[in-house]
Amino acid sequence: MYVEMKHIEKNYGSFHASRDVSFGVDKGKLVALLGPSGSGKTTILRMLAGLENPNSGDIVIDGKRVNDIPAAKRGIGFVFQNYALFRYMTVFDNVAFGLTIQGMKKADIRERVLEMIDLVGLSGMEGRYPNQLSGGQRQRVAFARALAPHPQVLLLDEPFAAIDAKVRQELRNWLKETIHRVGITSIFVTHDQDEAVEVADEIIITNHGRIEQVGTPLDIYSKPKTPFVAEFIGTPVVIENCSVLTGFADIDGPKRAIIRPEFLKIYKQGTMKRYASAAEDGIVEAVVFRGSRLDVTLRVKDCLIHGEYAFDAPPLSVGEAVKVLIYRLHVLDGDKTYLRENSAMMGSDVFYI
Amino acid sequence: MKHSKTKILLVSISVVFVVVMLIVPLISVLINSLAEGWDFYVKALTTPYVLSALRLTLIATVIAVAVNTVFGLCAAWAISKFDFRGKHLLTTLIDIPFSVSPVIAGLAFIMTFGRMGWIGQWIEVLNDYLGTDIQIVFAVPGVILATIFVTFPFVFREVIPVLHTQGRDEEEAAALMGAKGRTIFFRITLPQIKWALLYGIVLCTARALGEFGAVSAMSKLRGETFTLPLEIDALYQSGSTDAITAAFAVSSLLVLLAVGVLLLRVFFEAKLHKPS
């Protein structure tokens, strides 16, 4: 483990921001701290950076306990949420700032700064001021500034929050690619699961100051360990009593469950060829056009659930009766959760893909 | 159209009010000051009393502005960058000179620094011990103290909103890269607050030049502890036609100083609100 937090506790007055936070990040990995606002993810980042001190617990970077090492000596590059570029300095001076403080020679500074500006693709803009740059360009400058002094770890606080949706997508890819190219261990904070899933090698999910789960995006998505993660990831709908649904009547214990849109398929009446006995009757309550697909709200046995429907398939109208096949759901059992398949589909010898 | 009628009415009221209340009186000062000719004007401005008052006014203004700039910066920095108990109380206390009549401030200084006052007694003890004769009340130090008192919120008030809106991010970023307090202040903070600071200094200067009440309470000797506003008052109160014309002449000097300050103010204000 290259960066590690061990049993970290942090209080702000009566607010418990971190509760027994422990995790590790391998060298060269790009990790996302994902959670709703107020879940303690930014606190974790600021403690790693040394901008805040934990009440107890150890922070370890490259085998050294850094709790008592001041922020400036930890070898951290930090990209702030609003970038915090020095607005009265040019792009060049912004990137050079950390190197100047370190007392590097002028010629070396120039070389390194130009190398960084080239890395982020802003060559020729050295003389501009931050207010003459677009949001995406500012983020690139912030990134270059953070990387210039050769930090051991790069921390990014909501790196895409201040950028409009169109540029964001492009920047995500760029950032992921550039971080992997530089090979620096990086941790970023986000509340946007799409961002975390898309960009990160690994995701740490926080909630109420605790860490709920650590895993690859695929792990988090397909095997949520806690009800919180199951409810947080994707666009789930919670069903209070799932045993009323066909194929799930034989569930013992708690009946609360989560159905994600990708766990079900919608068929127009009479188009279902297989598993008809495992399907439910549903009524279309609402249809919303989402560009590449339709989001459909369905009423099934008095539960409202959400499904997706191809936009080029035979159209659905509100009030129409349809067949709904629910493949699987996440059963919420106390502080655990498990995946449950539709048992009515099991009997069939045809394997569904 | 009702809308344009309202507009004409409001604009007329404002213009008439400004002309009657500000422009006409100021022009009358300038015209009256020249009522007895240019030679008289120059003579009125060069009497020993006026020269002494001008000197003291400038000294008091420079010292008050310098002290309040340093104080205002320290207080604004402390309040916007750190969290501590009594922060709101301190912010409110700094505004006291805005709400307390300057005369009351002058009297309060007499009670504090006078012979019988709390601090005054200790100064007496110090004088006896060192064989010196430091006087505060009814002396130049008192005039300076009074000027400092009435002008001390200005720099603070102008700088603090700018520090607030700019946040701590840039300073934090600089600190993370290893910059020390001095570097952060001169390279990050000062450029941010430069125009607000200069604007505060201009307001502070304008107020210091014109202060009457507090200084009046602290000052008794014409030609020694009188500032320009006190000298004008003394000339005017003496009642003779010549003296009144001389009062106008001295007033015109203050008006010219004020116009200069006003121009600076317009310039800094434009810089301050320029989008950056």
Side-chain angles (χ1 to χ4, degrees):
Chain A
M1 289 293 154
Y2 192 66
V3 177
E4 231 176 322
M5 279 196 148
K6 294 177 184 165
H7 309 293
I8 294 288
E9 298 279 342
K10 174 70 180 173
N11 297 302
Y12 293 104
S14 61
F15 180 68
H16 208 158
S18 297
R19 302 165 196 254
D20 194 23
V21 167
S22 299
F23 67 86
V25 174
D26 284 325
K27 194 170 174 126
K29 282 272 190 283
L30 173 53
V31 174
L33 277 164
L34 173 66
S37 46
S39 66
K41 52 194 190 305
T42 299
T43 305
I44 293 176
L45 202 73
R46 292 177 65 86
M47 286 191 292
L48 280 172
L51 293 169
E52 307 279 350
N53 288 312
N55 295 97
S56 64
D58 299 321
I59 302 170
V60 179
I61 297 176
D62 197 15
K64 266 204 314 261
R65 186 178 182 273
V66 297
N67 287 49
D68 304 319
I69 297 179
K73 300 253 158 69
R74 286 191 191 182
I76 296 279
F78 200 100
V79 177
F80 287 80
Q81 184 167 354
N82 306 311
Y83 314 135
L85 294 179
F86 306 133
R87 74 193 77 187
Y88 293 101
M89 293 186 203
T90 59
V91 169
F92 187 97
D93 288 339
N94 262 282
V95 180
F97 189 85
L99 306 173
T100 315
I101 296 294
Q102 287 179 357
M104 211 192 229
K105 269 193 263 148
K106 259 208 159 129
D108 296 343
I109 291 179
R110 192 172 167 76
E111 192 185 335
R112 178 70 179 159
V113 170
L114 293 179
E115 182 193 343
M116 285 295 106
I117 291 177
D118 184 48
L119 174 80
V120 300
L122 291 179
S123 295
M125 300 200 183
E126 296 85 0
R128 296 224 189 153
Y129 285 88
N131 64 357
Q132 298 169 312
L133 300 175
S134 71
Q137 291 170 332
R138 281 181 213 176
Q139 198 213 34
R140 288 162 187 248
V141 175
F143 184 75
R145 184 179 73 177
L147 279 185
H150 298 284
Q152 297 176 281
V153 180
L154 183 66
L155 304 176
L156 307 100
D157 188 5
E158 297 273 6
F160 307 103
I163 295 173
D164 49 280
K166 221 171 167 185
V167 187
R168 202 181 297 171
Q169 186 59 44
E170 184 192 316
L171 265 176
R172 279 183 196 165
N173 299 337
W174 176 82
L175 190 72
K176 181 175 185 170
E177 188 199 312
T178 312
I179 284 178
H180 282 136
R181 186 143 47 100
V182 177
I184 186 167
T185 312
S186 306
I187 301 173
F188 72 99
V189 156
T190 180
H191 62 269
D192 181 339
Q193 47 165 309
D194 293 341
E195 202 165 286
V197 166
E198 219 182 290
V199 177
D201 300 322
E202 217 164 87
I203 298 177
I204 299 170
I205 296 196
T206 58
N207 178 37
H208 289 309
R210 280 200 187 79
I211 289 190
E212 294 273 340
Q213 188 170 354
V214 179
T216 63
L218 188 65
D219 272 347
I220 301 266
Y221 217 82
S222 55
K223 290 177 233 150
K225 277 190 187 145
T226 66
F228 173 80
V229 176
E231 282 186 57
F232 186 68
I233 294 288
T235 43
V237 171
V238 180
I239 302 289
E240 288 306 324
N241 184 3
C242 63
S243 61
V244 299
L245 298 171
T246 308
F248 300 98
D250 49 344
I251 287 174
D252 299 324
K255 310 282 195 233
R256 266 186 104 223
I258 275 172
I259 302 178
R260 290 191 189 154
E262 59 271 30
F263 290 177
L264 60 88
K265 192 162 163 106
I266 303 164
Y267 296 89
K268 281 181 90 75
Q269 289 291 0
T271 61
M272 216 173 161
K273 304 244 161 37
R274 233 171 262 154
Y275 302 124
S277 62
E280 282 285 348
D281 289 315
I283 303 289
V284 176
E285 293 267 327
V287 181
V288 179
F289 183 57
R290 290 281 183 212
S292 57
R293 59 166 206 273
L294 301 169
D295 278 358
V296 183
T297 308
L298 301 153
R299 179 171 296 279
V300 175
K301 292 249 173 71
D302 284 336
C303 307
L304 280 180
I305 58 181
H306 293 291
E308 288 173 5
Y309 192 76
F311 78 102
D312 51 355
L316 294 175
S317 48
V318 173
E320 186 176 339
V322 291
K323 285 285 181 189
V324 181
L325 178 61
I326 301 168
Y327 306 124
R328 60 177 80 92
L329 41 72
H330 282 298
V331 181
L332 305 178
D333 181 4
D335 57 1
K336 292 195 302 293
T337 176
Y338 61 89
L339 201 66
R340 183 65 166 62
E341 303 287 340
N342 185 331
S343 59
M345 290 167 68
M346 297 294 182
S348 172
D349 52 352
V350 183
F351 184 71
Y352 179 84
I353 298 169
Chain B
M1 260 166 62
K2 192 166 181 292
H3 176 76
S4 72
K5 269 187 189 163
T6 316
K7 180 176 152 188
I8 291 169
L9 183 70
L10 289 178
V11 172
S12 318
I13 290 176
S14 313
V15 169
V16 169
F17 194 81
V18 167
V19 168
V20 172
M21 298 298 293
L22 298 175
I23 310 288
V24 171
L26 284 182
I27 290 175
S28 88
V29 166
L30 294 179
I31 289 175
N32 279 311
S33 68
L34 292 167
E36 297 195 27
W38 180 252
D39 289 343
F40 182 88
Y41 181 79
V42 173
K43 225 175 85 194
L45 289 185
T46 49
T47 65
Y49 283 159
V50 172
L51 289 178
S52 148
L54 178 61
R55 203 174 132 259
L56 182 58
T57 302
L58 293 179
I59 289 174
T61 300
V62 167
I63 294 179
V65 167
V67 167
N68 287 332
T69 301
V70 173
F71 165 81
L73 273 180
C74 292
W77 176 276
I79 280 170
S80 64
K81 305 292 171 186
F82 302 108
D83 292 313
F84 54 90
R85 285 166 74 106
K87 188 163 147 169
H88 289 288
L89 186 65
L90 184 62
T91 315
T92 313
L93 288 179
I94 289 173
D95 278 345
I96 283 182
F98 279 157
S99 50
V100 168
S101 161
V103 179
I104 296 171
L107 292 178
F109 271 119
I110 293 177
M111 299 313 287
T112 313
F113 293 105
R115 262 170 216 285
M116 291 294 129
W118 296 335
I119 297 176
Q121 288 177 352
W122 290 103
I123 292 171
E124 291 287 297
V125 170
L126 198 71
N127 278 341
D128 286 347
Y129 184 73
L130 295 172
T132 52
D133 185 27
I134 299 167
Q135 294 295 324
I136 296 200
V137 170
F138 308 137
V140 171
V143 170
I144 293 171
L145 274 182
T147 309
I148 291 174
F149 178 90
V150 294
T151 56
F152 91 51
F154 286 100
V155 170
F156 173 79
R157 275 285 144 218
E158 289 306 317
V159 168
I160 200 131
V162 180
L163 281 178
H164 264 302
T165 51
Q166 314 243 339
R168 308 182 195 184
D169 280 3
E170 286 180 45
E171 278 111 354
E172 244 174 22
L176 253 181
M177 287 188 262
K180 298 277 181 294
R182 235 176 65 109
T183 315
I184 293 177
F185 180 78
F186 284 106
R187 292 208 54 195
I188 313 291
T189 316
L190 196 58
Q192 290 178 358
I193 60 172
K194 187 169 60 183
W195 297 116
L197 179 64
L198 287 173
Y199 184 54
I201 289 174
V202 166
L203 288 181
C204 188
T205 308
R207 185 77 175 82
L209 285 174
E211 174 51 26
F212 181 82
V215 171
S216 165
M218 295 292 267
S219 177
K220 283 286 173 283
L221 273 174
R222 192 174 172 192
E224 276 182 37
T225 64
F226 268 30
T227 58
L228 281 180
L230 295 184
E231 178 61 26
I232 292 165
D233 185 57
L235 282 168
Y236 190 77
Q237 296 293 340
S238 73
S240 75
T241 324
D242 276 6
I244 289 174
T245 308
F248 278 115
V250 181
S251 300
S252 73
L253 191 63
L254 261 188
V255 169
L256 291 177
L257 281 174
V259 169
V261 170
L262 189 77
L263 289 178
L264 278 178
R265 181 187 151 157
V266 170
F267 174 72
F268 291 144
E269 210 169 23
K271 286 281 186 191
L272 183 60
H273 294 139
K274 194 185 74 178
S276 65

